[in-house]
Amino acid sequence: MTRLGRKLQTFASYLAAPVVMVLLGASVAQAQAPPVCSVWLIESSRFMKVPFGAFMPDRAFVPGSTDKNNNIPTVDLPVNVGVIKCGSDLILYDTGWKQQDYLKMTGSEHWAPIGEQLKVLGFNAGDVTKAVIGHAHWDHAGQLSDLPNAVLYVQKQELAAIEWALNYPEKHIRAINSDPGGCNRTPACGYMPLTMEEVYGKVLKGKAVVVDGQLEIAPGVIIHPAYRAHTAGSQLLEVPTSIGKLVFGSDAFSSYEAIRDWMVANVQQTDSVQQFLAYERCYKITGGYENCIAAHEPLSYTDKYPITKNSWVALNGGRMAEIALAPGEKSRKP
Amino acid sequence: MAAALIVCPRGACVVRISAPREHRCVDRAAIAGVTSLNTSDTAFARERPIPTIGVPGPRPILLTSTVLVLVALVVLAWQHEQRLGTPTPVQATSQKPEPRALSAEEESYAASLWEIHREVTPSAVAMSFAGIVYETGSRDKDQFERKISPVAAFFKGAEARVRGLPVPASLLQVHNQYLDALVLYGKASNGMLEFAKDGERQHLVEAHDLHISASQAILRAGEVLWPGQYKPH
């Protein structure tokens, strides 16, 4: 090879090296970037005509008031369940509850079994690989036995707090229900036997992960603890999507309007300071409040809660929304 | 918006177009489809009717069509607004029965049973937690037995106490349902104790199924006796 040829070869290798490095870097970055997920929201059921003040104290109805915060007497509260498809994983965030005939009098309507609702979206109950419960109250952690292949994710603090309350000597504090009219905020309130036995059923079958703090359960899908934001072991779920990151909050995010307006909502075993810190977590992760997914927002499935507006009426009058689709994912909206 | 009224006495149709501020007085016979029309408003009475023979002419047809199109537009707009606004249930799931008010005798029974029930629910949940703690932590059968033994004793005593309650005839079915639940809880706790002795996990699986059945049964009974016991959470 001539001198000129060698020089040209050297020059070419110098030129090629950075190009190869850039290409390698890009492919590595592509491999490391978490894939985005597809997300739908389904209404497990709807609590009808709940006094607004019982849901949000700052929105309590004042007869004759013209203040928009105090002129609505009752609201209908959906019980929202997140359906999240990430690659081969099908994840539920909260699992609703199993309304049987005997619970129709509790003031709820539009219930349909979780398996039937998943079929509307083209999935089967057996396809669910993971069930993350935001907390273990009866209207959020039911139907677990109908998800035979799902691994349950529950926060360690949630279980510890229930066990603590059960062993407390004062009978009102250890009561699941403190009186026949129902409990509101006592420590074990809301953890009914059927729900807790279903949680135990998952543990017994080796299909439960007791989470202690933060945990990434799929690429980019991250459980964040939100201790005492609704219950002792509340947990949020961060989900990467084509429209940005979403954060599901269960009852730590009971109301979209509450997150937007910085008000407490659905105060049960809630430390209001921690609830606000959970709101802040969503603002930080998603860059605002629009991508915070609330469990009981009365405006769900309307354009007044924009992320849920791409909605339709499905089984038994219950509603569904298609929130985000991953590239190549087909729309499930009829 | 204009309103159209088409009256066809003996085959000859009359179309009247009126503005809403105009007062019309149509007698019952006209509403029922009988061919008579009375008017008490003089302005309306002075309106010149459009006479037709058999088939309405093009003008009434045009006017009627315009009115129908306007009505259809209003209906469509209303439906559109309904979809955009706070939704109302599209279809009711079922007729929601109102809880029947209990008689004084029934109230007395419900109050007596509540005193037992308020300890039944935490005891049932305590069984679940003994299992959860065993499976996720200690794997200590002695500790597991120490947790289940008092629960098993409680359910035995609770069953006896419930059997001793005076039961109104109207609540006998509910009473028996509650008793069945206590029996199932008792069997479940005994099954868990057997596991503590022989380590056979099938006892735990069977106990779990019994617990689920019992928990559903006390919900059904509770729905009659204490319908507000679970609130939205």
Side-chain angles (χ1 to χ4, degrees):
Chain A
M1 188 181 285
T2 63
R3 184 183 291 178
L4 179 63
R6 279 197 299 275
K7 281 185 176 177
L8 279 173
Q9 193 180 23
T10 308
F11 177 71
S13 64
Y14 277 121
L15 196 67
V19 172
V20 169
M21 284 176 73
V22 166
L23 288 173
L24 271 173
S27 61
V28 167
Q30 195 173 15
Q32 285 176 343
V36 295
C37 306
S38 299
V39 174
W40 298 267
L41 198 66
I42 60 181
E43 186 179 31
S44 174
S45 63
R46 202 180 311 162
F47 296 116
M48 308 301 287
K49 299 195 184 306
V50 177
F52 212 155
F55 180 56
M56 288 174 65
D58 300 321
R59 300 290 300 269
F61 179 61
V62 178
S65 173
T66 54
D67 186 334
K68 66 179 176 55
N69 282 327
N70 305 105
N71 62 0
I72 301 172
T74 63
V75 281
D76 297 340
L77 305 179
V79 178
N80 291 331
V81 171
V83 181
I84 302 152
K85 182 171 178 275
C86 304
S88 58
D89 260 330
L90 186 63
I91 304 165
L92 293 188
Y93 181 77
D94 279 353
T95 53
W97 58 296
K98 184 177 279 186
Q99 182 194 46
Q100 313 224 4
D101 288 344
Y102 53 89
L103 282 174
K104 281 180 182 169
M105 284 188 284
T106 55
S108 69
E109 293 182 5
H110 305 295
W111 179 83
I114 188 76
E116 297 301 311
Q117 291 189 309
L118 288 170
K119 278 182 188 168
V120 171
L121 295 175
F123 303 119
N124 291 307
D127 299 337
V128 179
T129 53
K130 297 179 171 84
V132 180
I133 52 171
H135 64 296
H137 278 163
W138 63 282
D139 52 338
H140 295 264
Q143 309 188 95
L144 291 173
S145 54
D146 297 329
L147 306 167
N149 301 316
V151 173
L152 170 71
Y153 289 79
V154 60
Q155 207 51 237
K156 183 180 179 183
Q157 282 296 317
E158 184 77 350
L159 299 176
I162 303 166
E163 198 191 13
W164 169 83
L166 286 172
N167 292 302
Y168 202 84
E170 210 289 326
K171 65 181 180 181
H172 291 88
I173 289 178
R174 73 166 178 267
I176 301 299
N177 252 349
S178 49
D179 69 70
C183 54
N184 285 311
R185 295 164 196 175
T186 49
C189 179
Y191 299 104
M192 61 156 69
L194 181 59
T195 312
M196 299 322 300
E197 187 65 12
E198 283 203 307
V199 170
Y200 169 52
K202 283 293 183 190
V203 172
L204 183 62
K205 290 166 186 160
K207 288 193 169 294
V209 174
V210 179
V211 183
D212 192 3
Q214 185 171 311
L215 181 69
E216 185 172 28
I217 61 169
V221 180
I222 302 167
I223 289 174
H224 296 273
Y227 302 131
R228 300 185 302 286
H230 179 68
T231 60
S234 291
Q235 54 185 5
L236 318 175
L237 188 67
E238 174 186 334
V239 180
T241 75
S242 57
I243 58 169
K245 288 181 178 177
L246 307 181
V247 177
F248 286 83
S250 193
D251 281 356
F253 297 171
S254 282
S255 163
Y256 159 75
E257 287 193 306
I259 301 168
R260 183 192 63 196
D261 300 340
W262 296 93
M263 291 180 178
V264 293
N266 201 6
V267 181
Q268 301 294 338
Q269 289 97 9
T270 304
D271 175 335
S272 59
V273 173
Q274 295 302 322
Q275 189 168 54
F276 286 127
L277 291 175
Y279 296 171
E280 186 202 28
R281 182 76 66 93
C282 188
Y283 276 77
K284 283 183 172 174
I285 292 172
T286 69
Y289 57 83
E290 295 289 6
N291 285 12
C292 310
I293 310 297
H296 294 300
E297 172 53 52
L299 301 174
S300 296
Y301 309 100
T302 76
D303 59 354
K304 291 174 183 169
Y305 184 7
I307 203 160
T308 69
K309 71 179 179 184
N310 185 21
S311 65
W312 68 98
V313 176
L315 293 178
N316 217 11
R319 296 160 295 177
M320 296 187 180
E322 190 163 81
I323 292 179
L325 293 177
E329 181 67 46
K330 64 178 182 182
S331 172
R332 314 269 170 161
K333 186 179 178 183
Chain B
M1 187 197 303
L5 184 65
I6 305 173
V7 183
C8 300
R10 294 168 192 160
C13 293
V14 175
V15 179
R16 295 187 188 284
I17 309 296
S18 61
R21 61 188 170 80
E22 289 178 332
H23 174 70
R24 288 178 299 152
C25 180
V26 182
D27 69 10
R28 287 175 186 276
I31 292 167
V34 180
T35 58
S36 71
L37 175 67
N38 293 331
T39 61
S40 59
D41 187 291
T42 52
F44 178 78
R46 281 198 301 274
E47 274 183 19
R48 184 168 165 267
I50 305 162
T52 60
I53 301 170
V55 179
R59 192 175 165 197
I61 288 174
L62 185 66
L63 287 168
T64 309
S65 303
T66 306
V67 168
L68 288 174
V69 166
L70 285 170
V71 168
L73 279 173
V74 168
V75 169
L76 284 173
W78 181 79
Q79 285 178 338
H80 180 69
E81 286 304 308
Q82 285 295 102
R83 278 199 301 273
L84 288 179
T86 302
T88 52
V90 170
Q91 68 182 104
T93 51
S94 59
Q95 292 296 317
K96 194 171 69 175
E98 286 298 317
R100 179 176 66 85
L102 299 181
S103 68
E105 188 188 17
E106 290 170 338
E107 284 283 5
S108 172
Y109 170 80
S112 302
L113 186 58
W114 177 265
E115 290 305 313
I116 302 166
H117 178 69
R118 70 182 306 157
E119 294 298 329
V120 165
T121 43
S123 298
V125 175
M127 269 205 287
S128 305
F129 268 85
I132 289 170
V133 170
Y134 176 81
E135 297 290 336
T136 60
S138 66
R139 296 270 175 179
D140 180 339
K141 288 200 184 71
D142 292 336
Q143 186 190 56
F144 181 73
E145 188 173 10
R146 282 197 298 276
K147 287 184 175 177
I148 295 295
S149 290
V151 174
F154 168 80
F155 281 119
K156 196 173 178 183
E159 183 190 333
R161 287 165 66 195
V162 172
R163 284 190 193 284
L165 291 176
V167 188
S170 56
L171 291 179
L172 198 57
Q173 189 183 349
V174 174
H175 173 79
N176 288 334
Q177 197 169 36
Y178 201 93
L179 264 178
D180 288 347
L182 290 181
V183 171
L184 289 174
Y185 277 138
K187 284 181 180 174
S189 54
N190 289 334
M192 293 175 98
L193 287 175
E194 285 180 44
F195 164 76
K197 288 188 178 68
D198 64 18
E200 179 55 60
R201 287 186 66 82
Q202 187 57 26
H203 294 309
L204 296 180
V205 174
E206 288 167 6
H208 170 65
D209 293 342
L210 292 169
H211 192 301
I212 291 281
S213 298
S215 299
Q216 289 172 332
I218 61 163
L219 276 173
R220 290 191 186 99
E223 193 64 9
V224 176
L225 299 169
W226 315 292
Q229 70 172 326
Y230 291 108
K231 293 177 176 174
H233 278 82

